[in-house]
Amino acid sequence: MITTTFEELFTFEALYTAHLKSRASRRSKKPIVKFETATISNLYDLYKRIRDGKFKFGKYNTFVVFEPKRREIQNLFYADRLVQRVLCDNLLMPYFEKRVFYDNCVCQKGKGALFALRRFEAMLRKHISRYGSNGYFLKCDILKYFPSIPHDDLRTKICSQIVDERLKKMIAGVIDGYHTKRDFLDKYGIVPLGEGDETGRGIPIGNQTSQLFGMFYLDPMDRLVKERLRIRVYSRYMDDFVLVHDDLDYIRYARREITLLADKLKLSLNSKTHIFPLKNGVTYLGFRYSVTNDGQVIKTVKKSTKRRFRWRTRLLKKAYLDGVIDAERVKQSVSAFHGHLKYSRSKKLEREIHCKLGFALKETETDNVEQLS
């Protein structure tokens, strides 16, 4: 149980530390610039409102991002985000990260997509060395995970671990402060759990707390797969998870059990959920894994990533030739492409990118030589 009290958590020092972390590499952003015109005064005002019980989370600002796919993001005012940071960094994360499975690979220090991929590859190679290339992937994905998480169940899971009533009330306020719109739920056949605009479902993608809630809410799924089904090869990154087993009947049984548990959690699996032979390969976290007849694992980027990189390469070339960006900006983008592609067999695509943007890269090399001389 979490025995930390409200007064112990929300100190002025904790808020100031949260501000220092939040502003890192983002000091030019307007909300932070505005807040830092009177940092101490603003922090003290926030501290007083919290301690006097007058603090309430504000309304969400909504915007859309289009890469790697279209998503609607919701975020709070900067001061509200500081409060959430204190909740996550000093209370929730230290407690819950110790209570999730090792292969739950999201939102934890030292973990992330690269960690998940490396763990999955190691387990897959070990499986192939034992059973050969005759086995099956079960690739699972939750239908609109963040917009469909039920408030009542999530609130019970989180608040049941906390003793202090004021902290419970604040966390309940975070959970109930946002509801997925009814027309969005209707579009995907998700049943609302409330009346009117308060649908009782959904957590905003832009909240730091949402990442932790999403990490922990599917903990029963991890326990089902690892403890009851005893699946050795299993990796989960938020709502995207993959299993491997050598027996087709057993992996079909696993899929039925996973479907039943998802229904119990008031979620559902989407159409991406399928069983594939190892030889057919599987896509996980943006990479395509294929297993050859002799047991080799080949990792490449998925087709949509290739299309996106080629599109961005054409865009960069046009922007450079039109004088919108300089050669250094092109070099930074090429380095970013390389940072992603270097973890897969993608030399052909890298050569294609360098061929199209090589003239700009040569210019940066010439500039560097001139500066050194």
Side-chain angles (χ1 to χ4, degrees):
M1 294 290 288
I2 299 175
T3 56
T4 303
T5 65
F6 189 89
E7 290 75 16
E8 289 171 341
L9 180 66
F10 286 106
T11 62
F12 183 85
E13 291 78 7
L15 289 169
Y16 183 66
T17 301
H19 167 63
L20 295 180
K21 290 180 180 179
S22 298
R23 76 177 188 179
S25 302
R26 291 193 291 267
R27 295 189 72 175
S28 61
K29 299 289 185 181
K30 286 184 179 180
I32 300 178
V33 171
K34 184 178 179 181
F35 191 86
E36 289 201 314
T37 56
T39 305
I40 300 302
S41 176
N42 287 328
L43 282 173
Y44 187 72
D45 176 66
L46 177 61
Y47 169 73
K48 283 285 291 178
R49 285 191 290 125
I50 293 170
R51 298 302 284 257
D52 295 344
K54 297 178 181 178
F55 172 82
K56 288 185 180 180
F57 289 103
K59 294 182 179 180
Y60 286 90
N61 172 47
T62 301
F63 60 95
V64 177
V65 297
F66 295 93
E67 287 195 21
K69 64 181 181 180
R70 189 185 188 280
R71 280 196 181 97
E72 198 173 84
I73 309 296
Q74 302 83 21
N75 67 2
L76 290 164
F77 290 110
Y78 182 70
D80 295 357
R81 298 204 297 270
L82 294 183
V83 175
Q84 288 206 9
R85 181 150 211 143
V86 173
L87 277 172
C88 289
D89 291 0
N90 300 353
L91 184 79
L92 300 177
M93 187 56 77
Y95 180 80
F96 286 105
E97 70 178 352
K98 297 176 183 177
R99 287 159 176 81
V100 296
F101 272 90
Y102 189 68
D103 289 303
N104 178 344
C105 303
V106 68
C107 299
Q108 298 160 71
K109 189 174 181 180
K111 293 187 179 182
L114 182 58
F115 173 86
L117 290 167
R118 284 175 171 167
R119 281 282 298 172
F120 176 66
E121 288 171 42
M123 289 186 288
L124 180 58
R125 293 180 194 280
K126 189 174 181 179
H127 174 90
I128 291 171
S129 68
R130 183 173 182 180
Y131 298 103
S133 59
N134 296 317
Y136 300 89
F137 293 109
L138 171 56
K139 173 72 185 310
C140 300
D141 198 358
I142 302 295
L143 175 65
K144 299 300 173 184
Y145 180 51
F146 275 58
S148 63
I149 290 180
H151 288 191
D152 288 347
D153 297 63
L154 176 62
R155 195 187 316 110
T156 299
K157 278 180 176 291
I158 302 298
C159 292
S160 63
Q161 306 297 314
I162 300 170
V163 174
D164 190 281
E165 291 298 325
R166 292 182 72 184
L167 288 175
K168 286 184 181 181
K169 185 178 179 181
M170 177 171 278
I171 291 168
V174 173
I175 295 170
D176 293 328
Y178 174 84
H179 295 263
T180 302
K181 293 178 181 178
R182 187 172 291 269
D183 57 351
F184 181 92
L185 297 177
D186 292 341
K187 179 181 177 181
Y188 294 98
I190 302 169
V191 180
L193 301 174
E195 299 295 331
D197 293 336
E198 296 188 358
T199 58
R201 284 190 185 271
I203 53 177
I205 293 178
N207 273 6
Q208 186 179 353
T209 50
S210 295
Q211 302 301 311
L212 186 143
F213 294 157
M215 174 194 79
F216 189 70
Y217 190 72
L218 280 181
D219 183 64
M221 192 71 73
D222 300 334
R223 298 186 180 280
L224 166 69
V225 173
K226 297 298 290 185
E227 293 178 351
R228 270 190 51 203
L229 300 176
R230 300 287 182 179
I231 302 289
R232 291 178 179 271
V233 185
Y234 171 71
S235 179
R236 177 166 77 86
Y237 191 87
M238 200 56 81
D239 64 318
D240 192 4
F241 51 103
V242 61
L243 301 70
V244 177
H245 201 272
D246 62 300
D247 185 85
L248 179 58
D249 289 334
Y250 192 78
I251 209 154
R252 284 172 174 166
Y253 166 71
R255 178 176 177 172
R256 290 195 296 271
E257 291 297 306
I258 287 170
T259 303
L260 288 172
L261 179 58
D263 186 61
K264 187 176 179 181
L265 294 171
K266 299 174 184 174
L267 303 169
S268 57
L269 300 176
N270 69 13
S271 58
K272 297 178 185 177
T273 301
H274 283 295
I275 295 172
F276 308 92
L278 285 184
K279 295 175 183 178
N280 286 17
V282 70
T283 299
Y284 182 52
L285 299 182
F287 291 91
R288 180 76 183 172
Y289 289 91
S290 302
V291 181
T292 63
N293 291 329
D294 58 354
Q296 290 187 38
V297 178
I298 298 175
K299 179 185 175 186
T300 58
V301 292
K302 62 182 183 179
K303 290 181 179 179
S304 62
T305 302
K306 291 179 181 179
R307 287 195 299 269
R308 190 171 74 250
F309 279 15
R310 287 185 174 118
W311 173 77
R312 286 186 62 84
T313 299
R314 292 194 299 269
L315 194 67
L316 284 166
K317 183 176 181 179
K318 186 177 187 306
Y320 175 76
L321 293 176
D322 291 345
V324 177
I325 59 175
D326 59 13
E328 186 61 33
R329 177 67 180 81
V330 175
K331 183 180 179 181
Q332 290 171 3
S333 294
V334 172
S335 297
F337 292 151
H338 174 69
H340 186 84
L341 296 174
K342 69 181 180 180
Y343 298 108
S344 65
R345 292 192 182 184
S346 303
K347 290 184 179 179
K348 184 178 178 181
L349 180 58
E350 285 215 66
R351 284 197 297 268
E352 181 183 331
I353 292 171
H354 275 267
C355 181
K356 290 180 179 179
L357 300 175
F359 60 91
L361 300 178
K362 287 179 182 178
E363 183 176 318
T364 59
E365 291 173 3
T366 303
D367 291 344
N368 290 337
V369 170
E370 290 176 352
Q371 288 174 8
L372 289 172
S373 61

